[in-house]
Amino acid sequence: TAMASLAKLFASEAFRSLCAEISGCGELAERVDLSSQIYSRGGHLLCHDDVIGTRKISFIYYLTDPDEEWTAAEGGALELYPQDPGAPPGTPAAVPTKELLPLSDSLALFVVEP
């Protein structure tokens, strides 16, 4: 299936090496955890961090409809929050520093920091 082919690609040494090079996070483990989600209109994921065990990077591959141009007015942006400098560790700031639209066939890759 198409999803199995994507999982094989994301677990490949070539992809892990590219991610390590792009992110500058160093060598990545062979283990790759993958999941897939579908969000319907109005659905959302709560603010969270991706710190799990020894995870160094996270990524999102968007499979939105390539025939429909996504706009900011539709919502659905990935919001990335820095740490709040005056708060305890792990507390995000109130305002995101980056917002990424879920554009078809795009990959959002980010370093996970505890």
Side-chain angles (χ1 to χ4, degrees), residues 26-96:
E27 187 176 343
L28 297 173
E30 289 185 24
R31 178 181 168 172
V32 177
D33 295 320
L34 299 172
S35 66
S36 60
Q37 283 79 35
I38 296 175
Y39 296 100
S40 58
R41 185 175 303 277
H44 64 280
L45 188 59
L46 296 176
C47 187
H48 68 280
D49 65 39
D50 282 4
V51 176
I52 299 174
T54 60
R55 183 181 291 175
K56 292 183 178 180
I57 62 166
S58 289
F59 65 87
I60 302 169
Y61 180 61
Y62 291 103
L63 297 170
T64 53
D65 188 340
D67 296 326
E68 293 186 22
E69 182 90 17
W70 201 286
T71 66
E74 295 175 283
L78 169 65
E79 297 177 332
L80 300 175
Y81 293 80
Q83 165 128 356
D84 186 336
T91 305
V95 178

Side-chain angles (χ1 to χ4, degrees), residues 6 9-10 60-66 101-108:
L6 278 175
L9 169 71
F10 293 142
I60 302 169
Y61 180 61
Y62 291 103
L63 297 170
T64 53
D65 188 340
L101 291 178
L103 303 178
S104 179
D105 197 29
S106 64
L107 181 76

